Amino acid sequence: MELDDVVRKIKKLLAIAEDPSASDQEIQLAAYRAEKLMFKYKLDRKDIIEKDDSSKNVEEYYFEKKYTAYLVWTLMSIAEYCQTQAFYNGKLNSKAYLGIIGFNDDIILCKEIALPILDYMEDTLIDLKTCYIGEVDFRIFKRNWCEGFASGIKTQLDKGFIELKEEEKFEVSIIDLPPAVKVYIDNNCKTNTSHFKRNSTEGYELGVAMGSKYNFNDKRGIK
């Protein structure tokens, strides 16, 4: 594990240890793991603070190509576990640019997790459309599938870890957005809430099944 990755992990553990909403067990476990990593890599809290210089400014990142905007629901689930905020620029029922708001190192982590998933979902939607024989309009099926896939991914994240590399697991835990990121979002972003009636149970259930079985360690997404 590279030093920057170690520092990033220690920072997240320390954030949990200082989170008043965390349970006593979560606080103790996070503090223990942070101290263990600092001892192993011969770091102290001063080193962690000095390494944090790149995280002072809140940034916006856009993925290079447009995606089906419904994929933002999956990106939101991933972003939540990386202390970032996902967003889209465009119409929700069309193609749009997806993006992430947060500190630089958190954005990098979110990108690493999210990009293969977004590409997998986009390719899968093309295949589903090609072989679709359902009675419901495919546009409705697609929306419900994306909703279900996001739910399936969230189920995996809720288990507390995901595999990013061979024999290496990245622990995830919901930590509230940093105050600076919250202020940036409040001052620069417009929030829209969309409500849909689920018209395709088949699409949603297929999405849940595929999202919950997605393999984070394989770019093809197959377990």
Side-chain angles (χ1 to χ4, degrees):
M1 188 183 299
E2 295 184 2
L3 186 58
D4 287 344
D5 295 328
V6 174
V7 171
R8 181 166 57 233
K9 185 169 184 177
I10 292 173
K11 283 164 49 185
K12 290 185 179 296
L13 289 168
L14 291 175
I16 297 174
E18 296 170 2
D19 185 356
S21 65
S23 68
D24 290 342
Q25 181 63 43
E26 288 174 327
I27 291 173
Q28 292 176 11
L29 183 60
Y32 168 76
R33 287 176 172 172
E35 292 292 340
K36 186 177 179 180
L37 283 172
M38 285 191 284
F39 177 80
K40 178 178 179 180
Y41 290 93
K42 297 180 173 58
L43 298 169
D44 56 31
R45 287 179 181 259
K46 181 182 177 181
D47 296 318
I48 303 303
I49 293 172
E50 290 176 351
K51 287 285 184 179
D52 199 28
D53 288 341
S54 64
S55 296
K56 297 300 181 183
N57 296 321
V58 179
E59 302 176 7
E60 286 188 22
Y61 169 81
Y62 280 91
F63 290 92
E64 293 183 1
K65 67 179 183 182
K66 286 185 175 182
Y67 289 94
T68 300
Y70 297 136
L71 271 59
V72 74
W73 296 330
T74 293
L75 183 58
M76 284 178 174
S77 293
I78 298 168
E80 183 179 16
Y81 284 84
C82 299
Q83 287 187 277
T84 57
Q85 176 69 50
F87 67 94
Y88 69 96
N89 188 351
K91 295 182 178 180
L92 188 57
N93 61 351
S94 184
K95 294 276 189 177
Y97 284 107
L98 306 184
I100 313 164
I101 297 172
F103 293 144
N104 180 260
D105 54 353
D106 295 324
I107 288 176
I108 290 172
L109 175 62
C110 189
K111 284 163 49 182
E112 180 180 358
I113 300 171
L115 185 57
I117 299 177
L118 297 178
D119 288 338
Y120 169 78
M121 293 180 71
E122 200 67 49
D123 291 343
T124 301
L125 283 172
I126 294 173
D127 293 339
L128 287 172
K129 184 177 181 179
T130 300
C131 64
Y132 183 65
I133 57 173
E135 296 182 0
V136 177
D137 190 307
F138 181 76
R139 290 171 295 181
I140 297 174
F141 178 92
K142 175 175 69 175
R143 184 186 71 210
N144 294 152
W145 181 85
C146 291
E147 180 188 4
F149 195 96
S151 178
I153 287 292
K154 187 175 186 305
T155 297
Q156 288 208 63
L157 293 171
D158 284 343
K159 294 177 181 178
F161 67 87
I162 55 177
E163 296 184 5
L164 292 184
K165 299 176 182 177
E166 194 70 28
E167 297 182 354
E168 180 178 336
K169 295 179 180 178
F170 175 78
E171 295 177 27
V172 292
S173 178
I174 291 182
I175 308 171
D176 205 5
L177 282 173
V181 177
K182 285 185 176 181
V183 171
Y184 182 93
I185 293 171
D186 290 341
N187 293 337
N188 296 278
C189 301
K190 179 181 178 181
T191 302
N192 293 322
T193 303
S194 301
H195 299 282
F196 296 106
K197 180 179 179 182
R198 190 175 300 152
N199 302 100
S200 174
T201 302
E202 180 185 3
Y204 178 79
E205 291 178 350
L206 178 61
V208 170
M210 296 181 73
S212 60
K213 294 179 180 178
Y214 178 87
N215 186 356
F216 288 89
N217 200 37
D218 190 330
K219 290 184 178 180
R220 297 174 300 170
I222 303 171
K223 283 195 174 181

